[in-house]
């Protein structure tokens, strides 16, 4: 079933590329957060490819992805490490890795930005030079790897990036408050628009996979109902801006003006609107749903588990709003082997039911393939999550630079086990067997 029937024009790319209607795609994701702060910031670099040992184990990691039955991989291309200065790129590591993935028959969905920018962009996403810088990188990447990598994500999770970098001051440019959020969101939206244009100019066969996180809020407290509704609506603002939907009368237009946007900036985003080929939706059953409660110093977000009900709700809502073909671009759950194996089975069953009902979902991703290092590692053990989740003990962990074991998040199909020398072994779990079973049993979730 084509997700474009009755939906907006999404032309300009490759019509879905590997994700055209037909065979369902089983996708893996290697955690690739890559944040290198300028010297004035008091945080250590947060580079998951380095922290998880992928920089040295990349060949065996890519072999592992293929052995699991995945035919596509969401993969970060380390923009802060590759784009050394304006017009200066170091492609050596990517040349090896992307060619190797292609030889394995893996379709790479290149994650151009995953929360971080090069350090020479002093104000990161709020820097006036940001949109042109990411567009230059995107164009150079698309030119160099056309035919090797034809699927591109301009920026992972705009809504999460804006929260950490613009609202809460955790990552560069470390702005705070809703004015900071608005400034970062406007920069991100301009950057995505220019990235899409640059990629399509360099590689007309490219498929743009726009990836956004689920925003799902509830509260039992009447005084917080308005805040929950605001957070819910803001979850679609970055995508609406990219598509040129935020015009006078849009539910967030006046709110954005009240928090620092100008009519001219919003009009420019409408004028430069781009289309998208595929919409990626990220959902974690125990992290994405949030319940708001009043706390001693303000509202507290508590993560709670909605299992497959939340997955069905978010895919249905995104599908109805945008009319685009969709992928589940991130999902997993933290827990023991039984819990993770159950999530493989139950989430796949939920997506099967949705596609049978006519919802255009074309692929499903377990993210991450192997465990990753908690983001608090780069902040001296301080919990940087914006919610109180199942494990809120980050502040009690050891300092950055020490053993990684206390920081490892057990969300992978493959477990990371730290040796005495600090290297990390990969150990397959029962969840890996569950993934392999669904990925190799059928090529079409609807069959």
């Amino acid at each position: 079933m084509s997700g474009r029937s009755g939906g907006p024009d999404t032309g300009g790319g490759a019509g879905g590329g590997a994700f055209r209607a037909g065979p369902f795609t089983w996708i893996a994701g290697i955690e690739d957060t890559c944040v290198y702060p300028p010297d004035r910031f008091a945080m250590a670099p947060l580079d998951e490819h380095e922290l998880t040992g992928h920089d040295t184990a990349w060949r065996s990691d890519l072999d592992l992805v293929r052995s699991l039955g995945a035919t596509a991989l969401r993969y970060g291309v380390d923009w802060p490490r590759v784009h050394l200065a304006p017009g200066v790129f170091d492609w050596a590591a990517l040349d090896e890795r992307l060619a190797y993935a292609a030889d394995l028959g893996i379709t790479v969905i290149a994650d151009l930005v995953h929360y971080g920018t090069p350090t020479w962009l002093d104000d990161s996403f709020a820097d006036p030079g940001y949109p042109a810088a990411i567009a230059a990188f995107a164009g150079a990447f698309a030119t160099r790897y056309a035919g090797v990598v034809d699927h591109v994500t301009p920026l992972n999770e705009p809504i999460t990036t804006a929260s950490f970098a613009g609202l809460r001051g955790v990552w560069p440019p470390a702005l705070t408050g809703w004015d900071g959020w608005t400034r970062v969101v406007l920069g991100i939206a301009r950057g995505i628009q220019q990235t899409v244009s640059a990629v399509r100019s360099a590689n007309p066969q490219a498929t743009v996979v726009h990836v956004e996180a689920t925003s799902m809020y509830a509260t039992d407290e009447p005084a917080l109902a308005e805040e929950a509704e605001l957070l819910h609506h803001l979850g679609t603002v970055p995508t609406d801006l990219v598509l040129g939907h935020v015009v006078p009368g849009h539910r967030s237009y006046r709110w954005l003006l009240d928090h620092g946007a100008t009519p001219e900036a919003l009009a420019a985003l409408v004028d430069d609107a781009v289309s998208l080929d595929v919409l990626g939706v990220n959902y974690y059953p125990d992290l994405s749903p949030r319940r708001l409660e009043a706390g001693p110093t303000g509202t507290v977000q508590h993560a709670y588990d909605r299992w497959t009900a939340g997955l069905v709700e978010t895919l249905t809502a995104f599908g109805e709003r945008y009319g685009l073909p969709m992928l589940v671009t991130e999902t997993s759950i933290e827990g023991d082997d039984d819990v993770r194996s159950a999530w493989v089975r139950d989430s796949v069953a939920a997506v099967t039911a949705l596609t049978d009902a006519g919802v255009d979902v074309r692929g499903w991703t377990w993210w991450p393939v192997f465990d990753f290092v908690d983001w608090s590692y780069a902040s001296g053990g301080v919990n940087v999550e914006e919610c109180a989740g199942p494990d809120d003990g980050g502040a009690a962990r050891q300092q950055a630079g020490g053993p990684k074991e206390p920081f490892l998040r057990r969300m992978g199909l493959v477990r990371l086990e730290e040796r005495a020398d600090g290297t990390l072994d990969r150990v397959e779990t029962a969840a890996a067997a569950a993934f392999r079973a669904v990925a190799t049993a059928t090529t079409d979730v609807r069959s």
Side-chain angles (χ1 to χ4, degrees):
M1 174 181 175
S2 172
R4 295 177 186 172
S5 330
D9 174 23
T10 59
F19 311 114
R20 294 183 178 91
F24 194 82
T25 304
W26 301 101
I27 311 166
I30 292 176
E31 169 63 30
D32 58 10
T33 296
C34 191
V35 181
Y36 279 82
D39 291 340
R40 70 179 187 277
F41 286 88
M43 66 171 284
L46 180 57
D47 183 343
E48 290 288 346
H49 281 180
E50 188 276 327
L51 291 172
T52 60
H54 178 70
D55 280 340
T56 55
W58 62 267
R59 285 184 182 83
S60 58
D61 285 345
L62 294 177
D63 289 340
L64 169 66
V65 166
R66 196 65 188 91
S67 76
L68 288 170
T71 57
L73 172 69
R74 288 195 65 212
Y75 192 73
V77 298
D78 294 333
W79 183 32
R81 295 173 16 173
V82 174
H83 202 166
L84 305 181
V88 181
F89 307 95
D90 180 0
W91 303 108
L94 283 181
D95 283 350
E96 280 193 304
R97 297 179 191 188
L98 298 178
Y100 191 79
D103 287 344
L104 290 174
I106 296 172
T107 296
V108 169
I109 309 165
D111 217 359
L112 297 185
V113 185
H114 206 106
Y115 303 137
T117 65
T119 55
W120 49 265
L121 274 174
D122 194 58
D123 278 332
S124 189
F125 300 106
D127 198 289
Y130 166 73
I134 183 54
F137 175 70
F141 179 93
T143 298
R144 188 175 188 88
Y145 298 112
V148 177
V149 178
D150 294 327
H151 295 75
V152 171
T153 293
L155 181 141
N156 177 70
E157 294 189 341
I159 193 68
T160 306
T161 305
S163 176
F164 274 75
L167 178 66
R168 301 175 54 245
V170 176
W171 294 333
L175 304 182
T176 57
W178 288 116
D179 286 10
W181 185 93
T182 299
R183 186 177 170 192
V184 167
V185 161
L186 293 178
I188 284 172
R190 292 291 291 173
I192 291 175
Q193 288 182 338
Q194 293 187 29
T195 292
V196 171
S197 297
V199 166
R200 286 182 175 153
S201 177
N203 179 7
Q205 297 306 307
T207 295
V208 175
V209 181
H210 175 75
V211 174
E212 186 55 286
T214 293
S215 293
M216 188 171 287
Y217 297 91
T219 184
D220 296 325
E221 301 181 26
L224 298 179
E226 185 175 346
E227 183 177 354
E229 186 70 7
L230 171 66
L231 292 171
H232 173 72
H233 286 319
L234 290 181
T236 56
V237 164
T239 303
D240 284 0
L241 287 168
V242 169
L243 294 171
H245 292 173
V246 182
V247 297
H250 184 280
R251 64 191 180 193
S252 297
Y253 183 85
R254 174 52 56 184
W255 186 92
L256 289 168
L257 293 181
D258 290 343
H259 291 284
T262 65
E264 294 76 17
L266 296 179
L269 287 165
V270 174
D271 291 342
D272 295 335
V274 295
S275 58
L276 305 169
D277 297 309
V278 179
L279 177 63
V281 178
N282 294 352
Y283 172 81
Y284 296 89
D286 57 338
L287 294 175
S288 298
R290 309 285 176 85
R291 181 178 289 111
L292 305 188
E293 297 180 5
T297 59
T299 305
V300 178
Q301 296 183 19
H302 291 278
Y304 69 108
D305 193 342
R306 290 196 59 198
W307 206 245
T308 57
L311 178 62
V312 170
E313 181 179 313
T314 193
L315 289 170
T316 301
F318 271 113
E320 291 175 350
R321 184 170 184 82
Y322 296 112
L324 287 164
M326 290 183 292
L327 303 172
V328 177
T329 38
E330 291 183 24
T331 197
S332 66
I333 191 168
E334 192 164 12
D336 62 23
D337 286 2
D338 289 343
V339 169
R340 281 174 286 162
S341 298
W343 182 243
V344 172
R345 293 189 297 269
D346 289 0
S347 61
V348 168
V351 170
T352 300
L354 280 174
T355 61
D356 286 344
V359 179
D360 193 2
V361 184
R362 302 187 180 183
W364 177 96
T365 309
W366 186 279
W367 180 291
V369 172
F370 44 82
D371 297 335
F372 70 100
V373 178
D374 188 82
W375 293 340
S376 62
Y377 185 85
S379 303
V382 176
N383 179 25
V384 299
E385 294 287 352
E386 60 186 324
C387 66
D391 173 13
D392 201 25
R397 291 169 172 155
Q398 299 179 39
Q399 295 295 305
K404 300 182 184 73
E405 178 67 31
F407 292 88
L408 290 173
R409 297 290 295 273
R410 301 303 184 186
M411 297 171 71
L413 301 171
V414 174
R415 185 177 179 87
L416 295 183
E417 297 287 357
E418 189 171 27
R419 295 183 181 181
D421 64 1
T423 59
L424 295 167
D425 290 331
R426 276 76 166 138
V427 180
E428 286 197 27
T429 70
F435 180 98
R436 185 178 285 112
V438 296
T440 57
T442 177
T443 58
D444 193 333
V445 76
R446 292 159 291 190
S447 63

